Coordinates of all heavy atoms in Angstrom, one line a residue:
D33 N -65.4 57.9 -30.7 CA -66.0 58.6 -31.8 C -65.9 58.0 -33.2 O -66.2 58.5 -34.2 CB -65.3 60.0 -31.9 CG -63.8 59.9 -32.2 OD1 -63.3 58.8 -32.4 OD2 -63.2 61.0 -32.3
G34 N -65.4 56.7 -33.2 CA -65.3 56.0 -34.5 C -64.0 56.1 -35.2 O -63.8 55.4 -36.2
T35 N -63.0 56.9 -34.7 CA -61.7 57.0 -35.4 C -60.8 55.9 -34.9 O -61.0 55.4 -33.8 CB -61.1 58.4 -35.1 OG1 -61.0 58.5 -33.6 CG2 -61.9 59.5 -35.6
P36 N -59.9 55.5 -35.7 CA -58.9 54.4 -35.3 C -58.1 54.8 -34.1 O -57.7 56.0 -34.0 CB -58.0 54.2 -36.5 CG -58.8 54.8 -37.6 CD -59.6 55.9 -37.1
F37 N -57.9 53.9 -33.1 CA -57.1 54.2 -31.9 C -55.7 54.2 -32.3 O -55.2 53.2 -32.9 CB -57.4 53.1 -30.9 CG -56.6 53.3 -29.6 CD1 -57.0 54.3 -28.7 CD2 -55.6 52.5 -29.3 CE1 -56.3 54.4 -27.5 CE2 -54.9 52.6 -28.1 CZ -55.2 53.6 -27.3
A38 N -54.9 55.3 -32.0 CA -53.5 55.4 -32.4 C -52.6 55.1 -31.2 O -51.4 55.3 -31.4 CB -53.3 56.8 -32.9
G39 N -53.1 54.8 -30.0 CA -52.2 54.5 -28.9 C -52.4 55.5 -27.8 O -53.0 56.6 -28.0
G40 N -52.0 55.2 -26.6 CA -52.2 56.1 -25.5 C -51.2 57.2 -25.4 O -50.2 57.2 -26.1
S41 N -51.5 58.1 -24.5 CA -50.6 59.2 -24.2 C -49.6 58.8 -23.2 O -49.9 58.0 -22.3 CB -51.4 60.4 -23.8 OG -50.6 61.4 -23.3
S42 N -48.4 59.4 -23.3 CA -47.4 59.1 -22.3 C -47.5 60.0 -21.1 O -46.8 59.9 -20.1 CB -46.0 59.2 -22.9 OG -45.8 60.5 -23.3
T43 N -48.4 61.0 -21.2 CA -48.6 62.0 -20.1 C -49.9 61.6 -19.3 O -50.9 61.5 -19.9 CB -48.8 63.4 -20.7 OG1 -47.7 63.7 -21.5 CG2 -48.9 64.4 -19.6
P44 N -49.7 61.3 -18.0 CA -50.9 61.0 -17.2 C -51.9 62.2 -17.1 O -51.5 63.3 -17.2 CB -50.3 60.6 -15.9 CG -49.0 61.2 -15.8 CD -48.5 61.4 -17.2
A45 N -53.1 61.9 -16.9 CA -54.1 62.9 -16.7 C -53.8 63.8 -15.5 O -53.2 63.4 -14.6 CB -55.5 62.2 -16.6
D46 N -54.4 65.0 -15.6 CA -54.2 65.9 -14.4 C -54.7 65.2 -13.1 O -55.7 64.6 -13.1 CB -55.0 67.2 -14.6 CG -54.3 68.1 -15.7 OD1 -53.1 67.9 -16.0 OD2 -55.0 69.0 -16.2
G47 N -53.9 65.3 -12.1 CA -54.3 64.8 -10.8 C -53.9 63.3 -10.6 O -54.1 62.7 -9.6
S48 N -53.3 62.7 -11.7 CA -52.9 61.3 -11.6 C -51.6 61.2 -10.8 O -50.8 62.2 -10.7 CB -52.7 60.7 -13.0 OG -53.8 60.6 -13.7
V49 N -51.4 60.1 -10.2 CA -50.2 59.8 -9.4 C -49.4 58.7 -10.1 O -50.0 57.7 -10.4 CB -50.5 59.4 -8.0 CG1 -49.2 59.1 -7.2 CG2 -51.3 60.5 -7.3
T50 N -48.2 58.9 -10.4 CA -47.4 57.9 -11.1 C -46.4 57.3 -10.1 O -46.1 57.8 -9.0 CB -46.6 58.6 -12.2 OG1 -45.6 59.5 -11.7 CG2 -47.5 59.3 -13.2
N51 N -45.8 56.2 -10.5 CA -44.8 55.5 -9.7 C -43.6 56.4 -9.4 O -43.1 56.4 -8.3 CB -44.3 54.2 -10.3 CG -45.4 53.1 -10.2 OD1 -46.3 53.2 -9.4 ND2 -45.3 52.1 -11.1
A52 N -43.2 57.2 -10.4 CA -42.1 58.1 -10.2 C -42.4 59.1 -9.2 O -41.5 59.5 -8.4 CB -41.7 58.7 -11.6
M53 N -43.6 59.6 -9.2 CA -44.0 60.6 -8.2 C -43.9 60.0 -6.8 O -43.7 60.8 -5.8 CB -45.4 61.2 -8.5 CG -45.5 62.0 -9.8 SD -47.2 62.3 -10.3 CE -47.7 63.4 -9.0
L54 N -44.2 58.8 -6.6 CA -44.2 58.1 -5.3 C -42.9 57.6 -4.8 O -42.7 57.1 -3.7 CB -45.2 57.0 -5.3 CG -46.7 57.4 -5.6 CD1 -47.6 56.2 -5.6 CD2 -47.1 58.4 -4.6
A55 N -41.8 57.7 -5.7 CA -40.5 57.2 -5.3 C -40.1 57.9 -4.0 O -40.1 59.1 -3.9 CB -39.5 57.4 -6.4
G56 N -39.6 57.2 -3.1 CA -39.1 57.8 -1.8 C -40.2 58.0 -0.8 O -40.0 58.6 0.2

Side-chain angles (χ1 to χ4, degrees):
D33 64 1
T35 58
F37 180 74
S41 169
S42 61
T43 304
D46 288 342
S48 295
V49 178
T50 64
N51 287 339
M53 293 168 68
L54 297 178

